[in-house]
């Protein structure tokens, strides 16, 4: 009988594995220690180049994806829950074709912008023009800081932004309309919009209500004031995005990428030989709602009802059953396009034990299972927990 390496991995006796580029199909994965601490795998490495184009709650670590792609992938990879596109980005730097699916239009936009091929010079020229036009027009807005002029904006936008911030964001949106790299500028716009919300600094992921005056900030441990103005964020993030895209363009290989918007339970997929994915956790995150500002600003369509295991559905017995059935449906759908003998790597926090024996319902064999101690998540969240890495085979 096969013994799984599962409970050996949390041991801290060996040094966590960081020599990612040395992984080959012959590497014995069960010998590797994935329990990185902040010192082993720093935030700047986990968020290298385009991985930090826009914050995203629920992203997995690119280096974990890299290990499994180097080990298993041959030509083409699929991530049926591609989110912000971590698997797809990593695949493109390793010379693999990639297909990603996500139910959220904003996530698809983000993954597409991250993994596009850019004519970097043309992008820089266009970005310079955008910045000049924005600077010129924004000066006029600043002089009239308390005017309105955003009456046509939605109630949400008027509630969550200082009038000046809102007018600057709407101005940027207008300037970028119809440009060659409009999608990339849209992501810059949304990142600036996230920072400019009237949200307390300690609640940027899930703010309850707007702050309208000075407040006790639990992130900076002092009194902070609500954010006035978005222009500084627009400028900063535009320059940062250019730098990140430049770095990624050096690494991106000439491969084919397809980001599909839809429900992974039903969507049609091209052929691939490996899956590396992290499904939503049951009852934890509302993936559309986390980027509400983006949906409101860009007028994107929402498909909340297609989300598997949304936070608003809770984690009751019934919700867990629906969740499990939904995930199985996704993997069954993927199995039709997965090469025989192809591997499926699933990274998931399986607190409710919903993945035990799930491979059987999907028509896969269980090859391995690891438990990874997550002692420092990307960003400033500092929660401690275990996540499972399941390796299945068709
Ligand atoms: C844990 S996140 C994936 C994050 C991704 N690994 C990354 O690094 O960005 C799960 C994703 O599944 C998506 N999702 C939920 N239900 C889905 C469905 N029925 N079809 C496709 N995607 C879905 C969510 O929108 C979310 O982006």
């Amino acid at each position: 009988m096969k013994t799984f390496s599962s409970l050996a991995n949390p041991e801290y006796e060996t040094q966590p594995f960081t020599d990612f580029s040395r992984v080959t199909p012959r590497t014995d994965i069960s010998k590797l220690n994935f329990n990185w601490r902040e010192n082993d795998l720093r935030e700047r490495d986990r968020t290298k180049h385009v991985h930090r184009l826009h914050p995203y709650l629920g992203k997995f670590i690119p280096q974990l994806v890299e290990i499994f792609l180097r080990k298993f992938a041959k030509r083409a990879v699929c991530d049926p829950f591609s989110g912000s596109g971590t698997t797809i980005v990593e695949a493109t730097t390793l010379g693999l074709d990639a297909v990603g699916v996500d139910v959220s239009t904003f996530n698809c936009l983000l993954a597409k912008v991250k993994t596009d091929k850019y004519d970097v010079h043309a992008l820089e020229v266009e970005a310079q023009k955008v910045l000049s036009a924005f600077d010129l027009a924004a000066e006029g807005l600043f002089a009239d800081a308390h005017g309105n002029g955003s009456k046509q904006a939605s109630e949400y936008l008027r509630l969550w932004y200082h009038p000046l911030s809102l007018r600057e964001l709407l101005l940027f949106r207008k300037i970028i309309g119809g440009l060659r790299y409009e999608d990339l500028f849209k992501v810059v716009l949304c990142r600036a919009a996230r920072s400019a919300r009237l949200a307390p600094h300690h609640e940027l992921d899930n703010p309850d209500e707007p702050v309208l005056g000075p407040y006790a900030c639990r992130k900076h441990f002092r009194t902070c004031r609500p954010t006035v103005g978005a222009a500084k964020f627009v400028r900063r993030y535009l320059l940062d995005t250019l730098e990140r895209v430049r770095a990624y363009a050096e690494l991106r290989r000439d491969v084919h990428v397809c980001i599909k918007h839809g429900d992974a339970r039903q969507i049609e997929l091209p052929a691939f030989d490996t899956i590396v994915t992290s499904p939503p956790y049951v009852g934890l995150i509302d993936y559309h709602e986390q980027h509400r500002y983006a949906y409101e600003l860009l007028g994107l369509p929402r498909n909340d009802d297609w989300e598997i295991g949304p936070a608003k559905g809770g984690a009751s017995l019934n919700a867990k059953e629906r969740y499990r059935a939904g995930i199985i449906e996704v993997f069954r759908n993927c199995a039709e396009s997965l090469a025989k003998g192809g591997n499926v790597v699933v990274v998931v926090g399986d607190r409710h034990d919903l993945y035990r024996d799930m491979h059987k319902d999907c028509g896969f064999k269980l090859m391995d299972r690891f438990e990874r101690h997550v002692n420092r998540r990307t960003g400033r969240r500092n929660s401690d927990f275990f996540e499972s890495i399941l390796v299945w085979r068709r």
Side-chain angles (χ1 to χ4, degrees):
M1 194 182 121
K2 176 144 181 39
T3 50
F4 296 115
S5 32
S6 51
L7 292 170
N9 203 40
E11 296 291 339
Y12 275 92
E13 280 157 18
T14 55
Q15 197 49 28
F17 177 76
T18 51
D19 213 351
F20 308 109
S21 62
R22 287 200 35 209
V23 174
T24 71
R26 289 205 302 281
T27 303
D28 182 354
I29 297 279
S30 68
K31 298 245 156 59
L32 308 184
N33 179 349
F34 302 131
N35 304 298
W36 301 289
R37 292 152 299 195
E38 186 59 27
N39 278 347
D40 307 311
L41 191 51
R42 295 195 166 277
E43 184 177 354
R44 67 163 181 273
D45 297 317
R46 302 193 307 264
T47 57
K48 60 187 175 177
H49 53 79
V50 290
H51 288 299
R52 163 71 48 99
L53 279 202
H54 190 285
Y56 176 96
L57 201 59
K59 187 154 47 197
F60 57 9
I61 295 184
Q63 286 79 5
L64 191 62
V65 176
E66 178 181 352
I67 290 172
F68 285 97
L69 290 180
R70 285 186 185 275
K71 167 78 183 165
F72 292 128
K74 295 182 178 66
R75 293 170 61 103
V77 178
C78 172
D79 184 350
F81 301 107
S82 55
S84 66
T86 310
T87 295
I88 315 301
V89 171
E90 288 303 300
T92 59
T93 62
L94 294 174
L96 299 159
D97 289 342
V99 56
V101 182
D102 206 279
V103 81
S104 144
T105 35
F106 178 71
N107 293 351
C108 290
L109 172 75
L110 183 53
K112 177 185 169 294
V113 163
K114 283 183 177 179
T115 55
D116 262 353
K117 272 191 231 167
Y118 291 96
D119 173 339
V120 175
H121 177 68
L123 169 63
E124 283 172 345
V125 170
E126 191 163 71
Q128 198 48 56
K129 285 186 188 154
V130 165
L131 216 46
S132 306
F134 181 68
D135 280 344
L136 200 68
E139 253 176 60
L141 293 185
F142 189 73
D144 183 23
H146 295 285
N148 42 54
S150 4
K151 284 196 209 108
Q152 74 285 36
S154 69
E155 202 182 317
Y156 170 91
L157 293 174
R158 282 183 281 120
L159 181 68
W160 279 94
Y161 292 94
H162 183 278
L164 176 65
S165 312
L166 182 53
R167 281 182 305 136
E168 286 173 341
L169 293 170
L170 295 176
L171 169 68
F172 190 73
R173 191 185 69 184
K174 192 164 165 213
I175 288 173
I176 64 178
L179 295 182
R180 175 171 175 193
Y181 294 112
E182 180 178 0
D183 282 350
L184 178 136
F185 299 130
K186 278 182 179 171
V187 169
V188 173
L189 170 70
C190 293
R191 189 172 168 198
R194 182 179 186 276
S195 297
R197 283 171 306 170
L198 292 172
H201 296 139
H202 53 261
E203 254 181 16
L204 289 177
D205 285 336
N206 261 325
D208 270 344
E209 49 185 38
V211 284
L212 302 173
Y215 62 95
C217 177
R218 295 204 294 277
K219 178 173 168 186
H220 300 115
F221 302 106
R222 57 176 154 85
T223 301
C224 285
R225 290 173 184 284
T227 309
V228 178
K232 60 177 184 285
F233 297 118
V234 169
R235 293 187 193 104
R236 186 191 307 161
Y237 295 151
L238 182 53
L239 297 178
D240 180 69
T241 298
L242 290 180
E243 206 173 302
R244 290 175 180 279
V245 167
R246 228 180 275 130
Y248 171 69
E250 298 272 318
L251 303 172
R252 190 197 191 284
R253 310 265 285 273
D254 190 16
V255 290
H256 185 68
V257 169
C258 173
I259 306 293
K260 294 188 129 199
H261 171 237
D263 186 338
R265 284 169 285 207
Q266 286 141 20
I267 207 154
E268 231 177 89
L269 293 163
F272 46 82
D273 55 69
T274 306
I275 295 175
V276 177
T277 193
S278 64
Y281 296 3
V282 63
L284 198 64
I285 298 176
D286 290 316
Y287 282 96
H288 286 77
E289 197 55 31
Q290 86 160 281
H291 299 126
R292 171 92 184 258
Y293 49 92
Y295 283 89
E296 298 275 344
L297 262 176
L298 301 177
L300 298 172
R302 291 177 65 143
N303 303 97
D304 298 53
D305 292 349
W306 298 355
E307 277 185 37
I308 297 174
K312 62 174 178 289
S316 64
L317 206 58
N318 203 293
K320 284 189 267 192
E321 267 169 24
R322 265 184 287 128
Y323 168 86
R324 193 172 184 281
I327 298 286
I328 290 170
E329 230 184 299
V330 170
F331 285 118
R332 279 193 186 155
N333 185 33
C334 290
E336 289 177 22
S337 307
L338 175 65
K340 197 146 193 291
N343 290 286
V344 180
V345 179
V346 184
V347 179
V348 68
D350 192 16
R351 218 154 50 94
H352 304 286
D353 206 18
L354 300 173
Y355 283 75
R356 181 198 298 263
D357 290 339
M358 187 189 276
H359 56 281
K360 292 181 189 159
D361 297 304
C362 307
F364 299 137
K365 267 194 299 201
L366 176 65
M367 305 307 292
D368 227 328
R369 176 169 184 144
F370 310 94
E371 302 302 324
R372 192 176 92 74
H373 185 194
V374 183
N375 60 3
R376 191 73 162 87
R377 294 289 283 173
T378 302
R380 286 172 188 269
R381 287 174 297 279
N382 200 2
S383 46
D384 248 28
F385 63 96
F386 282 84
E387 73 185 6
S388 305
I389 305 170
L390 311 168
V391 182
W392 299 338
R393 186 164 297 163
R394 184 178 159 210

